[in-house]
Amino acid sequence: MQASPRGMRLQIGIFGKRNAGKSSLLNFLAGQNTVIVSNVPGTTTDPVDKAMELPPLGPVLLIDTAGLDDDQPGLGEQRVARSLAVLDRCDLALVVTNPVTRDQTEDELINTLNDRKIPYIVVSAKADLYPPEPGFQESFGDVPFVAVSAGTGWNRTALQEAIIRIAPEDFLSSAQFLGGLSQPGKPVLLIAPIDKEAPKGRLIMPQVQAIRDALDNLAYCVVTTPETLPAALENMKEPPVLAVTDSQVFGSVSKMVPESIPLTSFSILLARMKGDLATCAAGAGKIADLKDSSRVLIAEACTHHAIADDIGRVKIPNWIREYTGCKNIEFVHQSGPEFPADLKNFDLVIHCGACTFNRKAVLSRILRCQEQGVAFTNYGVVIAFVKGILKRTLSPFPEVQELFLQKETEK
C-alpha cells in the first residue's frame, strides 16, 4: 500500500473550523494516531497527508487541514489559504461541521465545493459528545451526512461506505497508462535510458507503470536502452504494436524506430492519463511565438535534487532557445505542490509528467491557465515539438493528432 504512487490514490481532503474534530477524524479513518490531536484550537497549522488503504477503493490519501476560521493576525490568513489550496488536488471532501449549528464558514466552504463540483460528505465527528440537534442533518439537503464518534470509533463503517458511494466514477474506473494501446499477446517496446537522472537500482515510476499495465492486459514488454535498441529491434520476431521512450532521447530514438511502429513517450502518456493531451499539444504550438521578452514557467510536481544536466532547468530551456533562436527568454521554475495564482505574466506553462500528482491536480492547473489565457503543455510534448516529431508521436492518438494538425494549418 505504501508503494502506491500518490497520483494513483483517491485524495480526500478534511475541512472545517478549528477544533471541529478534523485531526481526530483522520486518525479515526486511518485506524491509528497519525496526527496530533488537542482541544487547543489551531493545533493543525499546515496540511498533513496520510496514505492508507480503504477497501474496495484501494489506496487513498487523507489530507488534514488547518481550521478555516483561523483569525490569528497574519498567520491565520496564510493557514486558511494553504487549506483552501488543497482543494486543487481533492477528489472528494469531508466537511467536519459543528454538531449543533452551522455558520458562514461552513456555508462558504460548501458553496466553493459546489462551484468546483467536488463531491463531499458532511461529517459530525463528535456525535457522542454533541448529538446533532433535530433538523440539523436536514439543513444540508440531499448531501450525504454521517454522524460518527472519532473518539470511540463508532460508525466508522458508515463513513467508509459513504466515501465509496460518492467516490468519482473516473477514479473507480481510472484510466490505464497504456489505455487501449497494447494488445494481448503482442509486444510493447520500452526504451529506458540509464543515465545520470535514472535512479540507482530501479526504474522510474512511469516505466514501472507501463510494464504493469502491459502485463495486466496480457501483452508483454521488451525493455531496452537507446544503446541496445538496434539489437532489440533486430532480434524481435514480431514488430511491437507500440514503442514508448523517455522524451529526452526522442531525437535519437525516432531515427532508430521504423516509421511503421507507433512511437510516443512516457511523458506524453502521462499527459493523456493525468491531464489533457489535446490541450498540451495545442500549447506546444505557442513555442513558435516566443520572443526574447517572453516568460515561461516550468512547473514540476515533485521536488528533487537538480543535476548538472537537469531536464527542466537545463535541457528544455536550451532546446527552446535553439528552436526559437531567442537567447533571452526568461524561464521561471516552480517545484512541489505550490502553483502561482497569478499566471498572466507568463506566455507559456510547461509541466512535468506529474507522475506523483492525481489527474484532478493537473486539471486544476490547466484550468487556472485557461482562465488567465496562458498556454499549457508538458515536457514530452514540448520535446517532441522542438525535435520536429510531435506529429509522429501523436500518431497513437489519431483524434489528438488531427486537432493538432488542424490548428497548425490554421496558423
Side-chain angles (χ1 to χ4, degrees):
M1 183 271 292
Q2 293 294 341
S4 298
R6 285 189 178 190
M8 296 179 69
R9 297 176 181 275
L10 181 73
Q11 302 204 13
I12 303 172
I14 304 175
F15 302 91
K17 297 189 295 183
R18 290 174 296 173
N19 220 21
K22 301 183 299 299
S23 298
S24 297
L25 186 65
L26 186 147
N27 289 341
F28 168 80
L29 280 170
Q32 56 184 283
N33 292 326
T34 297
V35 294
I36 297 174
V37 174
S38 169
N39 290 326
V40 177
T43 301
T44 302
T45 58
D46 285 298
V48 177
D49 293 0
K50 170 60 181 175
M52 64 172 288
E53 189 86 11
L54 186 64
L57 287 175
V60 302
L61 188 73
L62 300 176
I63 311 167
D64 191 16
T65 63
L68 297 178
D69 61 336
D70 193 333
D71 56 2
Q72 181 179 350
L75 285 176
E77 184 177 340
Q78 294 180 46
R79 290 168 182 160
V80 171
R82 287 197 173 192
S83 293
L84 292 175
V86 171
L87 292 172
D88 285 345
R89 56 187 174 110
C90 272
D91 300 300
L92 186 154
L94 303 181
V95 178
V96 186
T97 182
N98 183 306
V100 181
T101 59
R102 53 190 287 189
D103 63 15
Q104 184 178 354
T105 300
E106 293 156 338
D107 287 339
E108 289 177 353
L109 171 61
I110 287 171
N111 289 336
T112 300
L113 292 168
N114 287 330
D115 290 343
R116 292 187 175 221
K117 295 181 172 55
I118 299 173
Y120 61 95
I121 301 167
V122 177
V123 183
S124 175
K126 302 179 180 181
D128 56 328
L129 300 176
Y130 311 101
E133 294 287 332
F136 181 67
Q137 175 177 345
E138 288 74 16
S139 70
F140 293 97
D142 296 330
V143 175
F145 181 97
V146 181
V148 302
S149 169
T152 66
W154 174 72
N155 227 16
R156 184 170 185 257
T157 301
L159 180 54
Q160 289 177 312
E161 290 175 346
I163 291 172
I164 291 168
R165 282 197 301 272
I166 72 165
E169 186 60 35
D170 62 353
F171 175 83
L172 297 174
S173 56
S174 56
Q176 296 175 317
F177 193 75
L178 295 179
L181 302 176
S182 62
Q183 298 176 24
K186 300 293 184 180
V188 173
L189 179 62
L190 306 179
I191 301 107
I194 304 300
D195 54 20
K196 289 183 290 185
E197 292 198 52
K200 190 173 183 178
R202 62 183 176 87
L203 298 174
I204 62 173
M205 190 185 302
Q207 294 164 356
V208 175
Q209 287 176 296
I211 293 171
R212 176 57 191 264
D213 192 52
L215 298 179
D216 283 342
N217 288 281
L218 303 180
Y220 65 92
C221 298
V222 174
V223 185
T224 184
T225 65
E227 292 78 13
T228 55
L229 176 57
L233 287 167
E234 184 178 349
N235 290 313
M236 292 181 71
K237 294 181 179 179
E238 182 178 14
V241 296
L242 177 70
V244 186
T245 183
D246 189 292
S247 302
Q248 297 186 61
V249 291
F250 252 151
S252 58
V253 167
S254 64
K255 296 174 183 177
M256 289 186 274
V257 176
E259 291 280 348
S260 58
I261 298 174
L263 172 68
T264 192
S265 76
F266 297 103
S267 184
I268 288 176
L269 289 172
L270 283 169
R272 181 183 70 145
M273 181 182 179
K274 296 293 185 77
D276 183 72
L277 181 54
T279 295
C280 290
K286 180 66 178 178
I287 294 173
D289 300 326
L290 295 177
K291 303 177 177 61
D292 276 320
S293 58
S294 297
R295 300 182 77 235
V296 176
L297 174 65
I298 296 185
E300 295 179 323
C302 63
T303 56
H304 66 276
H305 176 69
I307 64 172
D309 204 20
D310 190 75
I311 178 67
R313 290 166 175 76
V314 179
K315 289 183 178 178
I316 286 179
N318 284 343
W319 283 328
I320 290 177
R321 293 186 185 106
E322 181 181 350
Y323 178 88
T324 60
C326 301
K327 306 300 181 184
N328 297 318
I329 297 172
E330 181 182 357
F331 291 93
V332 178
H333 298 87
Q334 179 83 51
S335 300
E338 302 296 329
F339 193 68
D342 187 358
L343 298 163
K344 292 188 288 292
N345 290 325
F346 292 104
D347 298 281
L348 177 65
V349 172
I350 303 174
H351 209 288
C352 70
C355 56
T356 61
F357 272 12
N358 62 0
R359 187 165 186 258
K360 189 171 187 61
V362 179
L363 291 177
S364 293
R365 293 186 171 192
I366 291 175
L367 179 61
R368 190 176 299 179
C369 289
Q370 291 176 338
E371 287 174 342
Q372 299 183 45
V374 181
F376 180 99
T377 187
N378 97 329
Y379 280 15
V381 179
V382 164
I383 296 170
F385 182 86
V386 297
K387 297 295 182 181
I389 57 171
L390 183 54
K391 175 183 175 182
R392 180 183 179 186
T393 57
L394 291 178
S395 62
F397 324 101
E399 293 181 359
V400 176
Q401 185 190 54
E402 184 177 347
L403 286 172
F404 170 72
L405 293 176
Q406 181 180 339
K407 289 186 176 294
E408 289 297 292
T409 302
E410 290 172 356
K411 287 185 178 181

